[in-house]
Amino acid sequence: FMEQRPVRNIAVARQLIEERSKSAHSAYAEVSALQSLLSRLQPMFIALFIALLIGGGTSFAAENALPGDTLYPIKVSMNEEVGSFLAFSEEAQARFDTRRAERRLEEAEQLTVKGRLDSETSAAIESRFAAHAKAFEEDAQAIAAKHNSQAAFEVHSNFEASLGAHERILAQLALEKTQVRAVLEPLLLSV
């Protein structure tokens, strides 16, 4: 019975063994080719990782920079521009422009408290603030043009509330620190 009905056909078994050895050989060749490619690309991956680590660390450190600091240009030219690029809707862009305007006023407040605010820095802050306020106004008009009056009202209310709070802080600082009152007045008028 076993001779008439063998479990395995020897010819089929040999063919399977040959195919397995060929596929194992080709798999080995593919793995070695992949290892060769990875070994050549490894320095590039390491360099990319280091660049991302340094760039990300620098970007993170720049977030608290003030005008006059070394990392301040990275904060306003890179970090904030990336944030602006990532604000996809008009509402998101208006909120982001509100935040940028707030940041300029916060910088003026911090510099005043630290005694580092001079007329040149104040003028630069005022110029950036005016640009952010103008961008906000354009965003708000775009929102209103889409007949979304509720959203337009909301972004305007938030912007005005923020400006009111910062105006009070700057006015208080101008009263307390009389030596910078003349420097703060143009910024206060702009607010």
Side-chain angles (χ1 to χ4, degrees):
F1 179 80
M2 287 174 52
E3 287 176 1
Q4 291 176 355
R5 296 185 179 88
V7 174
R8 292 188 185 154
N9 186 343
I10 294 185
V12 172
R14 281 189 185 148
Q15 185 180 4
L16 285 174
I17 290 171
E18 287 175 9
E19 286 178 11
R20 285 184 184 161
S21 68
K22 286 180 185 176
S23 65
H25 179 67
S26 65
Y28 176 76
E30 289 176 13
V31 167
S32 65
L34 183 61
Q35 285 176 339
S36 172
L37 178 65
L38 288 177
S39 68
R40 284 182 286 171
L41 293 178
Q42 188 175 13
M44 184 177 69
F45 285 126
I46 291 171
L48 181 62
F49 178 74
I50 290 171
L52 286 175
L53 187 66
I54 291 172
T58 303
S59 177
F60 181 75
E63 278 301 305
N64 295 321
L66 294 172
D69 292 348
T70 306
L71 295 177
Y72 187 74
I74 293 172
K75 175 183 177 180
V76 285
S77 299
M78 293 181 65
N79 292 1
E80 290 183 359
E81 292 304 318
V82 168
S84 179
F85 179 75
L86 295 175
F88 295 113
S89 68
E90 282 92 4
E91 291 176 51
Q93 188 64 47
R95 284 191 296 273
F96 187 74
D97 287 330
T98 298
R99 182 63 193 127
R100 289 195 331 180
E102 288 173 343
R103 289 179 91 173
R104 300 299 83 84
L105 297 176
E106 290 167 0
E107 291 165 359
E109 294 162 5
Q110 290 174 3
L111 288 172
T112 301
V113 168
K114 292 180 178 183
R116 292 177 40 199
L117 186 68
D118 57 14
S119 59
E120 183 180 321
T121 307
S122 179
I125 289 173
E126 181 185 352
S127 172
R128 282 195 171 102
F129 170 78
H132 300 321
K134 182 180 178 190
F136 166 80
E137 195 58 43
E138 290 170 359
D139 298 333
Q141 288 175 359
I143 294 168
K146 289 187 175 183
H147 305 291
N148 193 347
S149 59
Q150 178 64 28
F153 176 75
E154 183 180 320
V155 295
H156 266 289
S157 295
N158 290 341
F159 189 63
E160 289 177 16
S162 173
L163 290 182
H166 286 288
E167 182 181 25
R168 286 187 295 278
I169 293 169
L170 288 169
Q172 184 64 35
L173 287 171
L175 287 175
E176 291 174 3
K177 300 193 178 273
T178 56
Q179 68 273 17
V180 293
R181 183 177 299 159
V183 174
L184 281 175
E185 282 180 5
L187 185 59
L188 271 167
L189 289 173
S190 182
V191 172

